[in-house]
Structures are given as structure tokens and as C-alpha cells.
């Protein structure tokens, strides 16, 4: 067995171990995402009295974004932070595997854990509200970039900060995503300076890419891709540097 085959075998071994570690969480995460999809779409439908196609479309597309944010920037950082506290990553660093492999294997597992929320929101959007869904290469690339960027951010938060700060930051992200960012309502409802601020965070550009490329409800340029790409690269590098840092 050459080095390339050994590295591939080690990587799949890390994936298998990550699956085993998360096997008890997985059914709960799937259930939470399905409930969250219904809660966001139908709950806010009654609260906001969204009785036209535009506002309903924001709830449907926003549910996808909120689900991804919930998994990548709330659940994942808390679970990773708990694993860090329990010494799991210190143990992994003693194994003859690359730090990139450790990070990528966890990112892959958490990426797949985002899918139930996306699929349930898409089904509700299609069959509950009659929205047209456009599956294409650019839509697939957008979803992968969104998941990778937000997961990298979530992992960076978990690796860099202590557990009590991680809990606070994840709750602030979820609160901001649900209440104050133009994800489940039109951007015109917020003051200009707030919308400009949100354009440089990864959350609103994520929802805009979903609306544009999965539903063709608005037009976007390269700015959203650039913002997410920068967040993805910086967060991944920060996570990797923290993971490789010696005590």
C-alpha cells in the first residue's frame, strides 16, 4: 500500500470514527431540522400575516438558510466545543493522521447533517406554497459553498473560544438570523446602514444565493460568492491553525 492509499484509508477511518461519535445525535438533529422548517415557515406565516407570494417566498427560502445556520453555527460549534473539552481532539492530534484530514472529516459529516433541513424546507416550499425549484450546477455549488463557509465559521468559533463563550456566540448568531437579519423578510424593511453591515457577514449573502439560484426569485452578482469565499478561507485557516497549535 503506497502513501496515497494510506492517506485515503486514514481519511475514511476518520470519517467512520466521526460517524460513530455522532450516531446518537444524528436522529435528533434530523428531527430538529424538520420541526424548525415547519416552525419557521408556518409559525412566522401566522405571526407576520404573510398573505402574499413575496412574503411567503421569504419564509420558505429563509427556512433553508436558518436551518443551515442552526446546524453549522449553533449545533456544530457546541458539539465540537464539548468534544474539545472532553479531550477528543487532543487524542486525535496524537494519531498519525493529518490535521487537515481531522478537520475535513468532521466538516463532511456535518455537511451531510445539513441536508434534512434543506430537503424538508424544499418540500414545504414546493408542495405547500407552489414555489418553483431550479436544480442546477450553480445551485449545487451555491449550497456547497454556503455549507462549507458557515461550517468553517462554526468550527473556528468552537476551536478558538472557550465553551461558555461559544454558547453565547451561537445564541447571538441564531437570534440575529431569526430576528434582525433580512433572511425571512425583505431587505427594504431595515435601515440602509444595517443592510450594508449584513452584506459583509456570511448569513444574508447565503440567503440571497438560495433565493437567486435555487428559486430564481432575485438576481445576485459575484459579491455574495466573494463574501462567502473569504469567510470560508479565513475560518478554515483559523480552525486549522488552532488545531495544529501545540499546547
Amino acid at each position: 500500500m503506497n502513501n496515497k492509499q494510506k492517506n485515503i484509508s486514514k481519511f475514511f477511518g476518520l470519517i467512520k470514527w466521526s460517524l460513530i461519535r455522532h450516531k446518537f445525535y444524528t436522529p435528533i438533529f434530523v428531527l430538529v431540522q424538520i420541526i424548525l422548517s415547519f416552525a419557521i415557515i408556518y409559525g412566522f406565516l401566522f405571526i407576520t400575516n404573510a398573505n402574499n407570494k413575496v412574503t411567503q417566498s421569504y419564509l420558505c427560502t429563509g427556512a433553508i438558510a436558518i436551518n443551515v445556520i442552526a446546524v453549522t453555527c449553533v449545533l456544530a460549534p457546541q458539539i465540537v466545543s464539548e468534544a474539545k473539552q472532553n479531550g477528543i481532539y487532543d487524542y486525535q492530534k496524537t494519531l498519525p493522521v493529518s490535521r487537515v484530514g481531522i478537520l475535513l472529516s468532521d466538516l463532511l459529516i456535518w455537511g451531510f447533517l445539513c441536508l434534512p433541513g434543506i430537503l424538508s424546507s424544499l418540500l414545504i416550499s414546493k408542495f405547500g406554497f407552489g414555489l418553483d425549484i431550479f436544480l442546477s450546477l450553480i445551485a449545487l455549488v451555491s449550497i456547497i459553498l454556503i455549507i462549507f463557509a458557515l461550517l468553517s465559521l462554526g468550527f473556528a468559533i468552537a476551536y478558538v473560544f472557550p465553551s461558555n463563550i461559544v454558547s453565547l456566540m451561537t445564541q447571538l448568531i441564531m437570534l440575529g438570523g431569526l430576528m434582525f437579519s433580512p433572511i425571512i423578510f425583505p431587505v427594504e424593511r431595515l435601515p440602509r446602514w444595517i443592510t450594508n453591515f449584513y452584506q459583509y457577514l456570511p448569513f444574508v449573502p447565503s440567503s440571497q444565493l438560495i433565493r437567486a439560484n435555487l428559486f430564481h426569485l432575485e438576481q445576485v452578482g459575484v459579491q455574495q460568492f466573494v463574501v462567502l469565499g473569504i469567510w470560508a478561507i479565513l475560518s478554515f485557516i483559523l480552525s486549522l491553525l488552532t488545531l495544529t497549535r501545540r499546547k
Side-chain angles (χ1 to χ4, degrees), residues 3 10 24 30-31 44 63 69 141 146 163 166 175 204 210 216:
N3 288 334
K10 289 177 181 179
F24 296 110
V30 172
L31 182 61
F44 279 91
I69 293 170
V141 170
I146 290 167
S163 58
V166 169
L175 181 63
V204 172
I210 290 170
H216 291 186

Side-chain angles (χ1 to χ4, degrees), residues 78-151:
Q78 293 181 3
I79 299 301
V80 171
S81 180
E82 180 185 351
K84 185 179 72 173
Q85 291 294 110
N86 293 335
I88 290 176
Y89 290 101
D90 287 335
Y91 170 70
Q92 279 185 311
K93 290 195 291 186
T94 65
L95 301 175
V97 294
S98 70
R99 304 298 182 258
V100 175
I102 294 173
L103 188 55
L104 287 178
S105 62
D106 268 356
L107 286 172
L108 184 64
I109 297 301
W110 281 101
F112 279 110
L113 287 176
C114 294
L115 296 181
I118 295 173
L119 293 176
S120 59
S121 298
L122 287 174
L123 290 174
I124 296 172
S125 303
K126 177 65 177 178
F127 298 106
F129 295 89
L131 294 182
D132 293 324
I133 299 169
F134 300 89
L135 299 178
S136 61
L137 179 60
I138 189 65
L140 179 61
V141 170
S142 298
I143 291 297
I144 292 174
L145 176 60
I146 290 167
I147 291 175
F148 179 70
L150 295 182
L151 263 180

Side-chain angles (χ1 to χ4, degrees), residues 190-205:
L190 290 176
R192 184 72 179 176
W193 68 271
I194 296 181
T195 61
N196 289 336
F197 171 73
Y198 273 120
Q199 290 301 322
Y200 296 100
L201 297 178
F203 312 113
V204 172

Side-chain angles (χ1 to χ4, degrees), residues 160-171:
V160 172
F161 297 101
S163 58
N164 56 339
I165 302 298
V166 169
S167 298
L168 177 61
M169 292 183 68
T170 55
Q171 296 309 312

